[in-house]
Amino acid sequence: MWVRIEDIGEYEGKEVEIRGWLFNSRSSGKIHFILIRDGTGIIQGVVVKGEVPDDVFELADELTQESSIIVRGIVRKDPRAPGGYELGVKDIKLVHLSESYPITPKSHGVAFLMERRHLWIRSRKQNAILRIRAEVVNAAREFLNKEGFLLVDAPIFTPSACEGTTTLFEVDYFGRPAYLSQSGQLYMEAACMAFGKVYCLGPCFRAEKSKTRRHLTEFWQIEPEIAYADINDAMEVAERLVACVVERVLERRKRELEMLERNTEVLEKIKVPFPRISYDEAVKILKEKGMDIEWGEDFGAPHETELANSFSSPFFVHRYPKKIKAFYMKEDPDNPELSLSFDMLAPEGYGEIIGGGQREERLEKLKESIKRHNLPESAFEWYLDLRRYGTVPHAGFGLGIERTVAWICGIHHVREAIPFPRMLDTLYP
Ligand code: 4AD
Ligand code: MG
């Protein structure tokens, strides 16, 4: 019977078949130990001379790393084995003898591995990260579905900018310019007026020309949008969403977090509500720490890192100056210099994982803002319609999947938090 390694505990004492690849092997003359991986886990197979036909014993010795094999054997409990079980091998069928595999158990440089990302994802650490990514996405979707948000897909080809014109990827759309979507937000604003509470999940594209550990040119966002909601409503959904995602990963991806040697103390302590500080307070904190920043400036990577080191839980910074935020942000009624915007920053130095806020719902104010940002009003006529036909206060946010995964996994760079990263100098494989 073909079983998956992650379920192996259910088959103790039984004969099973595993279909996978040779991860590694060693030999002590009369016994070959073969580590078999099948994508759900790794198990050690023990091949004993005399207990298997001679040709099978020889084959076990000749297998190269990543050769594909079908192995039959008896599942035995063994507390010393990683995962707690091993396989007493009875038979091995060779599917394909791998050529000399470039990624050996010794360590390799990142550039070497990135060029071989299509193979690198087979390795234990990358496997663990990508499983956690899948859990993060599933947990976020399930949370929003349960909360009554409707999934509405946003387009990828768009006629206009959402997050500033400097990072637009232009494509030739039958002779006219179109842009790859930077965010599904504007479409979610239309959708929330049709369905109340909505979200989209999809890739976003930004021509980020800087090389940082936080930036990809193609990344994924999950973007909820709520009609009849203000900035506080959006922050509440955001913190419950993140708390729920972290809890789910701790519950279901324990083994992967252990594999990554993630210290989960911070993750385990997370509970709502998250601390909230205003932009003004954040600037004060940074100045006290001796950072170079003036009121009105946006935070750069070092500022975010410094702030994120000051907290042991995710936290919000709200009410950024209007002029450093996107055109759609609603002005703060208490101070026209400020916007009803917020970011959520992850602790432990990770920085921004969410950007969001309350949207300008008044037609004239929005038109002014479009002008101020030098955006072509004609491309936004449809968006302005939302303010003409039954406009209401509304708010939402976007959670960056890769930054969230990088933080939860405790990895340094977002490039390992996506299966096939796209960056300034990375388009292959
Ligand atoms: O703060 P941003 O630009 O906000 C928006 O796009 C809003 N339209 C979202 C909304 O309100 N619906 O991006 C949101 C999040 C960031 O907090 C970050 O996690 C991620 O998207 N992000 C990136 N991740 C990786 N590489 C990049 N270049 C990213 N740019 C943004
Ligand atoms: Mg942002």
Side-chain angles (χ1 to χ4, degrees), residues 152-154 184-192 198-200 223 225:
V152 179
D153 301 313
Q185 179 195 322
L186 307 187
Y187 297 95
M188 290 307 101
E189 290 186 54
C192 83
V198 297
Y199 72 99
C200 61
E223 298 181 88
E225 193 73 28

Side-chain angles (χ1 to χ4, degrees), residues 163 183 185 206 208 216 221 223 352-354 359 400:
E163 296 297 329
S183 157
Q185 179 195 322
R206 298 199 194 165
E208 307 276 4
L216 299 162
Q221 273 195 83
E223 298 181 88
E352 181 190 339
I353 56 172
I354 285 181
R359 325 304 189 186

Side-chain angles (χ1 to χ4, degrees), residues 163 206 304 325 342-343 352 354-356 403:
E163 296 297 329
R206 298 199 194 165
E304 271 188 32
K325 284 291 177 187
F342 68 85
D343 283 355
E352 181 190 339
I354 285 181
R403 290 193 193 170

Side-chain angles (χ1 to χ4, degrees), residues 131-146:
R131 280 175 173 281
I132 289 174
R133 178 190 168 100
E135 199 66 52
V136 165
V137 172
N138 281 339
R141 294 189 53 158
E142 273 168 33
F143 172 88
L144 292 170
N145 290 340
K146 221 160 76 199

Side-chain angles (χ1 to χ4, degrees), residues 7-235:
D7 303 324
I8 207 80
E10 295 164 30
Y11 299 93
E12 195 188 333
K14 301 221 167 73
E15 185 173 308
V16 301
E17 182 179 287
I18 292 188
R19 302 182 180 187
W21 295 262
L22 185 84
F23 189 71
N24 203 349
S25 64
R26 66 192 165 88
S27 182
S28 69
K30 286 203 173 69
I31 305 181
H32 299 312
F33 297 96
I34 57 173
L35 283 180
I36 312 147
R37 64 163 195 90
D38 73 348
T40 72
I42 293 181
I43 191 166
Q44 173 167 278
V46 184
V47 193
V48 182
K49 193 173 171 70
E51 291 182 10
V52 291
D54 285 349
D55 57 330
V56 171
F57 189 76
E58 273 159 40
L59 175 62
D61 197 29
E62 286 158 11
L63 288 175
T64 50
Q65 191 190 343
E66 286 304 318
S67 287
S68 35
I69 45 177
I70 298 176
V71 183
R72 206 157 44 77
I74 308 282
V75 179
R76 294 192 295 239
K77 200 170 189 137
D78 182 349
R80 290 160 308 171
Y85 295 90
E86 65 171 26
L87 198 66
V89 174
K90 291 183 127 182
D91 186 33
I92 305 172
K93 278 207 176 61
L94 178 65
V95 180
H96 176 243
L97 190 68
S98 173
E99 293 178 24
S100 173
Y101 192 65
I103 305 177
T104 58
K106 74 164 197 186
S107 66
H108 300 277
V110 173
F112 179 92
L113 292 166
M114 288 290 287
E115 278 272 301
R116 292 160 185 80
R117 183 66 177 166
H118 52 296
L119 304 175
W120 191 19
I121 54 176
R122 300 182 188 191
S123 76
R124 261 200 266 223
K125 185 177 166 202
Q126 300 308 313
N127 220 267
I129 296 168
L130 294 179
R131 280 175 173 281
I132 289 174
R133 178 190 168 100
E135 199 66 52
V136 165
V137 172
N138 281 339
R141 294 189 53 158
E142 273 168 33
F143 172 88
L144 292 170
N145 290 340
K146 221 160 76 199
E147 295 267 325
F149 286 77
L150 186 77
L151 174 71
V152 179
D153 301 313
I156 301 296
F157 287 128
T158 62
S160 50
C162 176
E163 296 297 329
T165 50
T166 54
T167 61
L168 280 176
F169 273 116
E170 189 176 318
V171 293
D172 176 4
Y173 196 75
F174 308 111
R176 340 179 238 157
Y179 309 99
L180 298 183
S181 175
Q182 297 170 306
S183 157
Q185 179 195 322
L186 307 187
Y187 297 95
M188 290 307 101
E189 290 186 54
C192 83
M193 302 302 166
F195 302 101
K197 297 206 276 186
V198 297
Y199 72 99
C200 61
L201 167 68
C204 301
F205 305 87
R206 298 199 194 165
E208 307 276 4
K209 289 180 198 81
S210 54
K211 294 187 200 175
T212 80
R213 69 187 186 101
R214 297 190 171 100
H215 289 94
L216 299 162
T217 54
E218 182 177 319
F219 62 97
W220 286 62
Q221 273 195 83
I222 192 157
E223 298 181 88
E225 193 73 28
I226 319 162
Y228 287 105
D230 64 14
I231 178 175
N232 293 323
D233 298 324
M235 285 199 281

